[in-house]
Amino acid sequence: MSYGPISVAIESSSSLFTKILHYTQSTNLPKGQSLHAHLIKIGSSSSCIYLSNSIVNLYAKCHRLSDAHLAFQEIQNKDVVSWNCLINGYSQSGRRDSSISVLKLFKQMRQENALPNPHTFAGIFSAVSSLGDAGFTGKQEHCLAFKLGYLSDVFVGSSLLNVYCKAGRNHIVEARKMFDEMPERNSVSWTTMISGYAWQRLVKEAVGVFRVMLWERGDDANEFVFTSVLSAIALPEFINVGKQIHCLSLKNGYLWTVSVANATVTMYAKCGSLDDACSAFELSSEKNSITWSALITGYAQNGDCEKALKLFSEMHYSGMNPSEYTLVGVLNACSDFDALREGKQVHGYLLKLGFEPQMYILTALVDMYAKCGNISDARSGFDYLKEPDIVLWTSMIAGYVKNGDNENAMGMYCRMLKEGVIPNELTMASVLKACSSLAALEQGKQIHAHIVKHGFRLEVPIGSALSTMYAKSGSLHDGNLVFRRMPARDLVSWNSMMSGLSQNGCGTDALELFEEMLLEGTKPDYVTFVNILSACSHIGLVERGWSIFKMMSNEFGIEPRLEHFACMVDMFGRAGKLYEAKEFIVSAASQVDHGLCLWRILLSACRNYRNYELGAYAGEKLIELGSQESSAYVLLSSIYSALGRLEDVERVRRLMNLRGVSKEPGCSWIELKSQFHVFVVGDQLHPQIIHVRKELWKLSKLMKDEGYKPHFDPCLELEEL
DNA sequence: ATAGGGTTAG
């Protein structure tokens, strides 16, 4: 009869239990693990359900989900707490795959007839809410929780509220109804509702709930409430509300928590007031990497990339370690600043710090390489991932568009659709841009069909990209229809519609649109004037063009750029006012560094009007300035030959050879039955070249029969040789 | 005795 060993076992078991709790709370994994080993050794790990559950919880809280799962499977007599520890471990990781595991576990739990309790549902709903609208399966679980009578539990209620809040615009009204009907609400419920509205960019509603809360339950406010409501304010028009909340947080003492201070910096940055963001940053008592990231990203997003990069180096010297988010912000700054060298350094930094190549990091890298013109490195980054998400696809497609490779952009888009990825608004805008550049009306129409199919609205950027596509492809009527049906037009939409009209010979309509735009109160920018001046040039309105050119700087304070000078020279040139054009170029020299561009335009105009004297003058200017354009040399030498100045012809030809300028052969292509046929000038290689030539001959004859007279010009002929 | 919900940085 000896009770000794048993009492020792019991005693150590209870002290072991206290230890596990302690290690779990302090997430001390090494100590916890050795304790687990000890438990296995003395064989008491399976004897006591409290101990076994605590082991599962230990691993779960230390983010060792697979170990938690193993410990869970070892338990013979699982109870609801065992399930809850594992389920909540998975749901707290916030990762997508873990959230899916939660749903699987729950299904398994019910198959094994374990009865969930309110703790279980809190975890389930938390996981479901992190899946957003894509994983909105909350209805069944909602019913079950209702059936079991758990909805009055404030934990269950709040987490379920979050499911509806994160399930997309369509569910936010149900969420509000649920919130209004909750039998018990605490600060978490209020935070959830406010951040739900913030998530949907429903600023007024978010601030409204916040106001009611301060009024009714001011004592329940905490830093979470403040960070949520601040996150709702992300547009310049709401900056005054933001300032009020900022003051309130200061008055109530919440500004001294890092999260509220960070949210304040972010709020000002998103509202476009970088000065306020900067002072909020400087006044924040405690800075972490998020504080720095918020300001760096703020500068990057407001176009001040230089400042963003400078801040990053300051951060480095202050000894603060960057997080992935900081580096992503810096990468974005590099992308918009065309800073490939710095971008590569950040890439190196990311590798050095050993960050997991998560989707958003890779997206930022691909975006950076693509925007900085390094499309092949962008593509390697893209190919690295097995299942690129829509943002990554869009970055890659936009990258091709930006680098002028519209064919590859379209090819990527087709591949993306084949792989079942649903495009977003930015994807559509990018591929439409590619169609515009290719003047690919048929493909553009297909994209239009996708836009209708996916239910995208004709807002900026899709609306303006679509109207541009139609206008640039020559379908002015359709372009105008889309333009008129847009709920709101921004400057870019007006500009692109104007350019469509002007490029397709409807200069008068472009000018009318310009007047309409001014009447509607939209302020023109330099692009507007490029379009308008080019419209004047195309329809020969020299006087009008002149007055608009003057109006641009006098009335709108826009200094003329090279493009405007070019339009003006073109305008004079087309109207045959060649000497005015020359005078204009000479006078422009004091205002803009036009280099070769303006003389080249004048040279063409001189050719069209056969003014060989002035043409020779312009051509000599071009050669003097070291032009690398073959057409300039060819034109000039043909002008000299037309003037009979053979030594000059010889001189220009020699110079052309000396400088290694050569004419690129003309090339065109056509897509037939998804195969591209390419033709080069004087082509003999196409397998069906004989048939092509026969057809060409037939067409020429038809043209001549219809009365077409080819335009023979000694200059022109020579140039085309 | 063990287990639960909400916030900020892309």
Side-chain angles (χ1 to χ4, degrees), chain A residues 343-465:
Chain A
K344 279 186 173 175
Q345 287 178 1
V346 176
H347 188 180
Y349 207 170
L350 276 164
L351 292 174
K352 192 178 142 195
L353 294 177
F355 288 125
E356 220 184 307
Q358 290 182 59
M359 194 74 87
Y360 70 89
I361 298 180
L362 224 60
T363 305
L365 277 171
V366 168
D367 203 52
M368 184 276 291
Y369 280 115
K371 283 197 178 137
C372 294
N374 199 335
I375 199 79
S376 62
D377 280 343
R379 184 57 189 262
S380 324
F382 178 87
D383 290 335
Y384 179 85
L385 265 180
K386 292 274 177 296
E387 282 178 26
D389 69 350
I390 182 58
V391 182
L392 193 53
W393 277 104
T394 305
S395 274
M396 200 60 229
I397 292 171
Y400 278 120
V401 174
K402 178 156 193 266
N403 287 277
D405 190 346
N406 299 300
E407 290 85 0
N408 256 321
M410 293 307 291
M412 288 297 267
Y413 178 65
C414 293
R415 225 185 91 192
M416 184 188 108
L417 291 184
K418 259 186 212 148
E419 293 187 15
V421 179
I422 309 290
N424 67 23
E425 272 138 6
L426 291 172
T427 330
M428 301 321 270
S430 283
V431 283
L432 281 172
K433 215 173 154 194
C435 290
S436 302
S437 306
L438 293 166
L441 184 58
E442 278 313 307
Q443 280 163 307
K445 280 185 182 170
Q446 285 181 27
I447 310 281
H448 191 173
H450 295 165
I451 288 168
V452 175
K453 185 177 143 194
H454 291 297
F456 292 123
R457 306 202 321 172
L458 288 182
E459 281 169 2
V460 176
I462 289 191
S464 64

Side-chain angles (χ1 to χ4, degrees), chain A residues 16-39 50-69 71-72 75 81-82 84-86 89 92:
Chain A
L16 286 171
F17 181 74
T18 328
K19 275 185 181 171
I20 293 183
L21 279 190
H22 179 243
Y23 296 149
T24 307
Q25 270 172 11
S26 55
T27 57
N28 190 339
L29 185 64
K31 291 264 188 181
Q33 270 175 320
S34 70
L35 195 66
H36 185 196
H38 182 63
L39 281 175
Y50 292 107
L51 271 179
S52 326
N53 288 344
S54 298
I55 291 292
V56 176
N57 196 36
L58 165 82
Y59 286 115
K61 288 292 177 306
C62 293
H63 312 291
R64 301 291 288 253
L65 293 178
S66 50
D67 290 329
H69 211 132
F72 170 81
I75 303 174
V81 179
S82 326
N84 289 349
C85 287
L86 190 63
Q92 277 158 9

Side-chain angles (χ1 to χ4, degrees), chain A residues 83 87 99-116 120-121 124 140-141 144:
Chain A
W83 285 98
I87 284 176
S99 304
I100 292 166
S101 304
V102 167
L103 293 177
K104 281 187 195 149
L105 275 169
F106 186 57
K107 198 177 164 195
Q108 201 185 329
M109 179 181 181
R110 303 207 47 221
Q111 276 163 357
E112 294 184 21
N113 285 324
L115 188 70
T120 327
F121 280 100
I124 300 298
Q140 321 168 26
E141 287 83 1
L144 189 60

Side-chain angles (χ1 to χ4, degrees), chain A residues 666-685:
Chain A
C667 172
S668 74
W669 60 90
I670 187 171
E671 186 188 351
L672 289 173
K673 291 181 183 167
S674 68
Q675 200 191 338
F676 278 95
H677 299 261
V678 183
F679 301 91
V680 184
V681 168
D683 200 312
Q684 302 288 350
L685 295 171

Side-chain angles (χ1 to χ4, degrees), chain A residues 287-529:
Chain A
K287 291 183 187 61
N288 58 18
S289 83
I290 296 178
T291 329
W292 286 92
S293 303
L295 196 59
I296 290 173
T297 310
Y299 275 114
Q301 283 172 349
N302 280 275
D304 196 344
C305 306
E306 221 170 340
K307 187 84 202 227
L309 294 181
K310 224 181 116 209
L311 258 169
F312 177 57
S313 99
E314 266 178 52
M315 175 181 182
H316 180 74
Y317 287 114
S318 82
M320 178 69 70
N321 286 325
S323 70
E324 297 103 307
Y325 290 100
T326 324
L327 295 176
V328 166
V330 178
L331 277 177
N332 290 338
C334 295
S335 317
D336 295 328
F337 198 44
D338 223 359
L340 183 60
R341 201 172 61 96
E342 286 80 359
K344 279 186 173 175
Q345 287 178 1
V346 176
H347 188 180
Y349 207 170
L350 276 164
L351 292 174
K352 192 178 142 195
L353 294 177
F355 288 125
E356 220 184 307
Q358 290 182 59
M359 194 74 87
Y360 70 89
I361 298 180
L362 224 60
T363 305
L365 277 171
V366 168
D367 203 52
M368 184 276 291
Y369 280 115
K371 283 197 178 137
C372 294
N374 199 335
I375 199 79
S376 62
D377 280 343
R379 184 57 189 262
S380 324
F382 178 87
D383 290 335
Y384 179 85
L385 265 180
K386 292 274 177 296
E387 282 178 26
D389 69 350
I390 182 58
V391 182
L392 193 53
W393 277 104
T394 305
S395 274
M396 200 60 229
I397 292 171
Y400 278 120
V401 174
K402 178 156 193 266
N403 287 277
D405 190 346
N406 299 300
E407 290 85 0
N408 256 321
M410 293 307 291
M412 288 297 267
Y413 178 65
C414 293
R415 225 185 91 192
M416 184 188 108
L417 291 184
K418 259 186 212 148
E419 293 187 15
V421 179
I422 309 290
N424 67 23
E425 272 138 6
L426 291 172
T427 330
M428 301 321 270
S430 283
V431 283
L432 281 172
K433 215 173 154 194
C435 290
S436 302
S437 306
L438 293 166
L441 184 58
E442 278 313 307
Q443 280 163 307
K445 280 185 182 170
Q446 285 181 27
I447 310 281
H448 191 173
H450 295 165
I451 288 168
V452 175
K453 185 177 143 194
H454 291 297
F456 292 123
R457 306 202 321 172
L458 288 182
E459 281 169 2
V460 176
I462 289 191
S464 64
L466 191 60
S467 78
T468 309
M469 186 280 293
Y470 278 119
K472 292 226 162 142
S473 315
S475 292
L476 289 174
H477 179 68
D478 292 329
N480 193 45
L481 272 182
V482 174
F483 183 73
R484 297 294 162 189
R485 277 172 49 197
M486 286 172 67
R489 284 164 278 274
D490 69 349
L491 181 59
V492 176
S493 336
W494 286 100
N495 284 349
S496 51
M497 193 63 220
M498 257 178 250
S499 115
L501 289 169
S502 143
Q503 281 174 12
N504 285 285
C506 302
T508 320
D509 300 309
L511 282 169
E512 274 173 20
L513 202 64
F514 177 60
E515 299 294 337
E516 192 190 332
M517 171 184 161
L518 294 183
L519 279 177
E520 233 192 46
T522 306
K523 270 180 123 184
D525 70 346
Y526 83 96
V527 180
T528 318
F529 283 100

Side-chain angles (χ1 to χ4, degrees), chain A residues 147-218:
Chain A
K147 212 168 89 183
L148 294 168
Y150 296 152
L151 288 190
S152 55
D153 183 298
V154 68
F155 286 82
V156 176
S158 301
S159 57
L160 180 59
L161 177 64
N162 201 27
V163 170
Y164 282 86
C165 281
K166 299 289 152 69
R169 263 232 146 112
N170 303 333
H171 297 284
I172 195 78
V173 177
E174 291 170 77
R176 179 55 186 266
K177 193 161 175 280
M178 189 183 298
F179 177 75
D180 287 337
E181 290 168 1
M182 276 173 82
E184 187 193 343
R185 285 189 295 223
N186 61 16
S187 63
V188 175
S189 333
W190 288 93
T191 308
T192 309
M193 194 65 240
I194 293 170
S195 69
Y197 279 133
W199 192 264
Q200 305 296 334
R201 293 277 97 106
L202 295 167
V203 184
K204 286 183 183 133
E205 287 81 353
V207 176
V209 174
F210 174 73
R211 285 220 172 93
V212 175
M213 179 184 189
L214 288 185
W215 186 255
E216 287 181 7
R217 302 282 294 267

